[in-house]
Amino acid sequence: MVMSAIWSQLGSIMASVMFAYAMYEQFFPPHLRIYLRKYTRKVSALIYPYIQITFLEFSGERLKRNEAYTAIKTYLSATSSQRARRLKAEVVKDSQSPIVLSMDDNEEVTDEFHGVKLWWSASYTLPKSQSISWFPTSDEKRFLTLTFHKRHRDLITGSYIQHVLEQGKAIAVQNRTLKLYTNNPSNDWYGYKRTKWSHVNFEHPSTFGTLAMDPKKKEEIIEDLDNFKNGKEYYDKIGKAWKRGYLLYGPPGTGKSSMITAMANYMNYDVYDLELTAVKENTELRKLLIETSSKSIIVIEDIDCSLDLTGQRKKKEKDKDEDDGDGEKSKNPIKKSEEEEKKASKVTLSGLLNFIDGIWSACGGERIIIFTTNYLEKLDPALIRRGRMDKHIEMSYCCYEAFKVLAKNYLDVEYHDLFPIIEERLGETNMAPADVAENLMPKSKVKDPESRLKSLVESLEEAKKKAEEEAKKQAKESEEEELAKDEEVKVKANEKSAEGVKENGTIH
Ligand SMILES: Nc1ncnc2c1ncn2[C@@H]1O[C@H](COP(=O)(O)OP(=O)(O)OP(=O)(O)O)[C@@H](O)[C@H]1O
Ligand SMILES: [Mg+2]
């Protein structure tokens, strides 16, 4: 009886409230509403001790996505959102996981910071009037609201928000997929769809774990990378731009490109594969550099083939010689091969040096520059001096330690009776890890590990035989050359003595 009376009373109260609200919405003058709202807020602030901060999804004039909103959302997705009852699943571009879960609209989660409890909620508002816009936008205005007690104001506005933003950005970096960029020819830089770099997702499985090389050397490289990653303060202290250059050199198939991908995966950096031959001038090189992001690896593969950098120096010397010989030429700077030069890339050694450690290279920071080459001796010393290419890494032929890594990766074998023979053979001949790996790959006929190891031993023996034959051939050739030279000397000596006899004869 009592219960039904309460319900009926509650019902009539609700009806009156709704009636009052409807009256207010319909008849209360809008300009007075502002005042009413202002005063109700003031009154409620006296009894309601909580502060709210709102983070809008879009801010600014051009509907730019608010970075803080994105960072907070990422932070909440990774931390407290999982505790929400209603979650929203989204496919986020450039993220590693197929879907990202975040809290649904009108849902609230709690977070704690230094023992202080706070609340995050996600909501949206719909605009009352529709407007026509050139920019197609979603009508909903989403925002996140942070609520906390007013006595923690300094802590929250000071350090908590900073903490959330930093964490959110760090998590986003962790979760993103890496990208592999390549430079477009400068003709594509302007007009519709202009871009200097094109990219694809970088999904290469090579890591330091799969890289076959001397473990000590590998450890040293990893340590060097770690020091670089955590070295911002150190670089600031010594007044050096936060970048590091690596020169990878060694014969073909020794893992230089694999090392680059391992580094990118380890550091979680994007890769910019710079094709120097598509760059026409030094200024273009600079523009490309400015457009690279931080936390990236800029790679120039086969630097000795990319440009005739050493040649340009030689050519200059040649020009100088010509100038010395012919005074008129020095007055006339127009050279015969001007047409040819126009077509070719005009990137010079000094342009490249500037690219690596000029003033522009400092902008952005946290960059690694890698050059690879098969022929170290072909490069200009200025290009590879320490400070530009800080660390020179030699990728050499397959040693026993490197073979063990390959055997583990390719065959899942830690030890086999054939290992000592392979160790011996590897010591006797030079075989690139790429060739060793090829022998360990499963083939249609040879499937079990033992046969694959046997095929490797055979290949090693064959390579040894070939090398020996080659050495013999070369020795024979050089012997013949020596003999030919001796013969020439003898003939000349005979000719001279014959001439001497003739001269003596005429005097007599
Ligand atoms: N050290 C290594 N560890 C693991 N795999 C390797 C190694 N070296 C080569 N390989 C294998 O051989 C293939 C070719 O190697 P990679 O392209 O890295 O050689 P490279 O030194 O860059 O050769 P190049 O000088 O011709 O560019 C790789 O795909 C990889 O499978
Ligand atoms: Mg390579």
Side-chain angles (χ1 to χ4, degrees):
M1 215 24 218
V2 178
M3 228 16 217
S4 65
I6 290 173
W7 276 117
S8 66
Q9 238 174 22
L10 204 64
S12 66
I13 290 170
M14 288 279 284
S16 326
V17 168
M18 280 172 79
F19 176 73
Y21 182 70
M23 288 290 113
Y24 166 81
E25 279 285 305
Q26 205 145 28
F27 301 113
F28 204 79
H31 60 276
L32 287 182
R33 273 187 215 178
I34 300 165
Y35 290 106
L36 189 72
R37 249 184 248 147
K38 205 166 132 190
Y39 288 112
T40 39
R41 262 188 213 149
K42 270 194 178 168
V43 171
S44 68
L46 291 174
I47 32 173
Y48 184 73
Y50 292 96
I51 296 176
Q52 288 190 330
I53 304 178
T54 306
F55 296 89
L56 296 171
E57 185 177 14
F58 291 99
S59 64
E61 286 170 29
R62 297 184 128 228
L63 299 172
K64 191 171 168 276
R65 205 178 162 91
N66 190 350
E67 269 182 38
Y69 178 90
T70 320
I72 295 166
K73 224 176 137 202
T74 317
Y75 168 82
L76 291 175
S77 294
T79 56
S80 32
S81 281
Q82 306 301 330
R83 276 176 259 138
R85 296 251 186 113
R86 282 185 302 122
L87 294 163
K88 203 163 51 178
E90 284 169 296
V91 177
V92 176
K93 208 178 134 206
D94 298 339
S95 174
Q96 274 176 4
S97 42
I99 52 164
V100 174
L101 295 175
S102 59
M103 66 175 153
D104 202 358
D105 297 325
N106 301 323
E107 189 66 10
E108 192 176 79
V109 287
T110 52
D111 195 16
E112 219 179 275
F113 185 67
H114 293 311
V116 174
K117 201 172 173 190
L118 20 89
W119 297 264
W120 282 103
S121 62
S123 330
Y124 66 90
T125 51
L126 283 168
K128 288 205 173 112
S129 58
Q130 296 289 328
S131 62
I132 298 165
S133 159
W134 282 110
F135 302 101
T137 58
S138 156
D139 289 342
E140 300 157 353
K141 282 190 177 161
R142 294 183 178 281
F143 57 90
L144 290 163
T145 312
L146 170 66
T147 311
F148 53 91
H149 199 283
K150 64 182 175 196
R151 68 169 170 264
H152 304 304
R153 187 187 192 118
D154 288 344
L155 178 74
I156 303 300
T157 52
S159 26
Y160 176 70
I161 293 179
Q162 186 70 17
H163 161 81
V164 170
L165 295 181
E166 276 170 15
Q167 287 283 311
K169 280 180 191 162
I171 295 165
V173 168
Q174 279 283 314
N175 288 346
R176 75 186 174 139
T177 46
L178 300 184
K179 297 210 185 72
L180 173 62
Y181 293 85
T182 185
N183 51 315
N184 297 328
S186 52
N187 312 343
D188 299 354
W189 288 9
Y190 306 99
Y192 178 65
K193 273 194 170 181
R194 55 181 178 262
T195 48
K196 292 193 177 62
W197 295 95
S198 305
H199 73 266
V200 290
N201 280 351
F202 178 72
E203 284 161 358
H204 200 292
S206 171
T207 61
F208 277 112
T210 60
L211 196 66
M213 66 187 292
D214 182 14
K216 257 195 226 154
K217 233 171 161 186
K218 201 193 283 187
E219 214 36 60
E220 200 187 303
I221 294 165
I222 293 175
E223 208 181 301
D224 199 83
L225 289 170
D226 283 338
N227 284 343
F228 173 75
K229 200 174 201 173
N230 307 320
K232 172 145 183 44
E233 277 159 27
Y234 179 71
Y235 276 82
D236 282 349
K237 196 182 124 208
I238 59 171
K240 214 168 169 272
W242 193 15
K243 63 188 175 61
R244 194 152 177 82
Y246 293 97
L247 174 73
L248 306 180
Y249 65 96
T254 47
K256 296 179 291 298
S257 307
S258 310
M259 166 70 89
I260 295 169
T261 51
M263 280 182 171
N265 281 327
Y266 182 74
M267 301 291 275
N268 216 0
Y269 283 5
D270 290 331
V271 177
Y272 286 85
D273 188 3
L274 180 63
E275 180 52 57
L276 265 189
T277 44
V279 185
K280 278 196 203 129
E281 288 168 351
N282 292 340
T283 47
E284 286 186 11
L285 198 59
R286 200 171 303 157
K287 281 179 194 160
L288 283 168
L289 176 72
I290 297 165
E291 294 242 337
T292 59
S293 61
S294 74
K295 288 187 189 296
S296 59
I297 299 180
I298 301 171
V299 180
I300 305 181
E301 287 248 44
D302 299 316
I303 180 87
D304 51 301
C305 313
S306 295
L307 277 187
D308 195 11
L309 294 169
T310 45
Q312 286 192 352
R313 272 207 160 177
K314 276 181 205 145
K315 207 171 96 198
K316 260 185 213 161
E317 275 164 23
K318 213 172 107 196
D319 289 349
K320 223 175 96 191
D321 290 349
E322 278 176 8
D323 289 355
D324 291 344
D326 190 344
E328 270 181 36
K329 252 183 194 169
S330 60
K331 281 173 211 158
N332 183 11
I334 303 162
K335 296 276 179 300
K336 52 195 175 293
S337 58
E338 204 179 33
E339 274 294 306
E340 273 171 41
E341 270 182 34
K342 251 184 199 168
K343 279 182 215 156
S345 167
K346 279 188 188 161
V347 174
T348 60
L349 180 64
S350 83
L352 193 61
L353 299 184
N354 251 324
F355 174 80
I356 308 163
D357 71 349
I359 302 166
W360 289 97
S361 69
C363 50
E366 207 174 347
R367 277 205 199 96
I368 289 178
I369 298 174
I370 304 181
F371 287 173
T372 73
T373 181
N374 293 137
Y375 308 99
L376 183 64
E377 62 285 354
K378 271 197 190 174
L379 298 180
D380 195 298
L383 190 63
I384 54 170
R385 73 146 166 80
R386 308 285 154 150
R388 286 207 177 97
M389 290 291 112
D390 303 280
K391 201 168 166 58
H392 295 187
I393 302 169
E394 183 182 7
M395 301 301 289
S396 47
Y397 289 113
C398 194
C399 61
Y400 180 57
E401 293 297 330
F403 159 73
K404 281 204 285 190
V405 177
L406 289 175
K408 176 91 190 53
N409 290 338
Y410 282 73
L411 309 174
D412 258 331
V413 170
E414 300 241 349
Y415 187 78
H416 191 277
D417 292 342
L418 285 170
F419 274 26
I421 301 172
I422 292 172
E423 184 177 6
E424 204 179 301
R425 297 283 175 274
L426 282 171
E428 290 164 353
T429 182
N430 288 335
M431 190 180 259
D435 295 325
V436 176
E438 183 51 34
N439 278 297
L440 299 180
M441 283 283 273
K443 302 195 180 84
S444 54
K445 281 182 199 158
V446 212
K447 276 218 168 88
D448 62 309
E450 184 161 335
S451 348
R452 285 193 252 161
L453 287 172
K454 270 185 190 157
S455 105
L456 173 63
V457 175
E458 276 166 25
S459 300
L460 281 167
E461 276 165 4
E462 219 169 89
K464 190 184 160 192
K465 238 189 243 170
K466 251 190 196 169
E468 277 171 1
E469 272 168 23
E470 192 66 30
K472 260 187 209 165
K473 206 174 141 192
Q474 267 188 1
K476 207 177 161 194
E477 270 175 15
S478 58
E479 207 175 290
E480 277 173 9
E481 242 171 63
E482 285 287 308
L483 275 176
K485 258 186 202 167
D486 281 353
E487 199 66 29
E488 212 174 301
V489 171
K490 262 186 206 167
V491 169
K492 271 188 186 163
N494 281 345
E495 273 175 7
K496 257 191 184 173
S497 66
E499 262 174 34
V501 170
K502 227 179 180 183
E503 270 173 30
N504 284 342
T506 49
I507 287 163
H508 276 283

